[in-house]
């Protein structure tokens, strides 16, 4: 069976990509790009296909041999990706480049702190998202309880005091829980002041909550 030329391989991958078979097109080119890292045609095609698919990280990765071909968004994505590496060898392995690296790629090698922040970023964002979501849900619940407190107090219901105590306890629980999650999220991203402030608020709410007594006429009596 005759060996296909580089052009034929790229044209076949482009035809598959144009037919909507994006994964198949990428996979076919990735094999050749890794096997022949000095062949620009494979890299150019990969960068083009990833760009058309709206994936700037991979478009930048495979277009790093020609930085002039990258747009501003892709250059930013490339700089961000390189922060996770400390050595040129790590960058070369990631970019799948066998020769010398463009100077711009080695200018953005990450420090240990930057690598730590990148490593913990997903967890930090998840904690902050959960904190925000729980805060919103908590506020809705607290507002509902507040309406109940006002209604029971206005109607002279003997349970008004109990409802008010539950309202205070739930409000403190929301503050303590959401505050603790947000504090942890900011701590992982090394935003110390926000983490410390929210941590103090969460601890204070938890301490007050621990001293509540739902059997007492006054919640903290």
């Amino acid at each position: 069976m005759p060996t296909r030329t580089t052009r034929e391989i790229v044209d076949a991958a482009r035809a598959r990509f144009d037919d909507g078979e994006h994964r198949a097109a990428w996979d076919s080119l990735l094999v050749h790009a890794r096997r022949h890292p000095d062949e620009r045609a494979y890299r150019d095609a990969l960068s083009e296909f990833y760009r058309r698919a709206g994936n700037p990280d991979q478009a930048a990765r495979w277009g790093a041999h020609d930085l002039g071909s990258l747009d501003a968004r892709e250059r930013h994505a490339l700089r961000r990706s390189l922060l996770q590496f400390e050595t040129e060898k790590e960058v070369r392995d990631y970019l799948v480049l066998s020769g010398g690296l463009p100077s711009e790629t080695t200018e953005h090698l990450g420090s240990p702190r930057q690598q730590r922040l990148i490593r913990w970023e997903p967890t930090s964002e998840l904690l902050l998202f959960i904190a925000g979501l729980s805060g919103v849900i908590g506020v809705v619940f607290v507002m509902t309880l507040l309406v109940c407190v006002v209604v029971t107090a206005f109607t002279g219901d003997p349970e008004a005091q109990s409802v008010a105590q539950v309202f205070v306890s739930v409000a403190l629980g929301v503050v303590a829980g959401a505050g603790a999650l947000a504090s942890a999220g900011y701590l992982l991203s090394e935003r110390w002041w926000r983490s410390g402030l929210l941590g103090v608020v969460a601890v204070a709410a938890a301490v007050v909550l621990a001293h509540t007594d739902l059997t007492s006429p006054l919640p903290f009596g």
Side-chain angles (χ1 to χ4, degrees):
M1 180 177 178
T3 302
R4 292 189 301 170
T5 65
T6 300
R7 182 181 182 85
E8 289 174 336
I9 293 172
V10 171
D11 287 346
R14 177 170 285 106
R16 301 185 78 171
F17 188 89
D18 291 340
D19 287 340
E21 299 179 48
H22 295 178
R23 175 58 60 186
W26 289 327
D27 289 344
S28 65
L29 287 177
L30 285 170
V31 171
H32 295 285
R34 291 194 170 96
R35 187 178 300 165
H36 307 286
D38 295 325
E39 179 54 72
R40 293 187 48 159
Y42 299 131
R43 302 185 64 92
D44 289 338
L46 279 168
S47 182
E48 174 196 339
F49 294 166
Y50 279 118
R51 181 179 298 114
R52 289 170 58 184
N55 190 329
D57 292 332
Q58 291 300 315
R61 179 186 184 186
W62 293 102
H65 64 288
D66 182 13
L67 296 176
S69 67
L70 305 181
D71 59 28
R73 184 185 178 198
E74 292 163 355
R75 282 175 172 269
H76 176 75
L78 179 62
R79 286 194 295 270
R80 183 174 178 79
S81 297
L82 296 181
L83 290 176
Q84 62 186 305
F85 306 114
E86 286 189 67
T87 67
E88 291 188 16
K89 182 182 183 305
E90 292 174 328
V91 174
R92 187 176 288 106
D93 290 343
Y94 170 72
L95 297 179
V96 196
L97 288 172
S98 59
L101 294 174
S103 59
E104 186 172 333
T105 61
T106 58
E107 292 173 357
H108 299 287
L109 296 181
S111 65
R113 176 180 179 273
Q114 290 170 321
Q115 294 182 26
R116 184 172 63 251
L117 290 175
I118 291 174
R119 185 169 59 253
W120 286 108
E121 183 178 22
T123 304
S124 172
E125 291 180 348
L126 177 61
L127 288 173
L128 291 174
F129 173 78
I130 295 174
L133 181 61
S134 60
V136 170
I137 295 174
V139 167
V140 172
F141 189 56
V142 166
M143 294 303 296
T144 302
L145 282 177
L146 180 59
V147 172
C148 293
V149 170
V150 173
V151 171
T152 54
F154 181 77
T155 58
D157 193 314
E159 295 297 323
Q161 183 66 37
S162 298
V163 175
Q165 291 173 324
V166 172
F167 165 76
V168 172
S169 298
V170 171
L172 289 172
V174 169
V175 172
L181 288 171
S183 177
Y186 284 127
L187 180 64
L188 291 177
S189 61
E190 298 188 7
R191 285 176 276 187
W192 309 116
W193 286 105
R194 293 185 183 183
S195 176
L197 179 60
L198 288 170
V200 169
V201 171
V203 169
V207 169
V208 175
L209 180 61
H211 287 80
T212 58
D213 182 4
L214 296 181
T215 65
S216 172
L218 293 176
F220 314 115

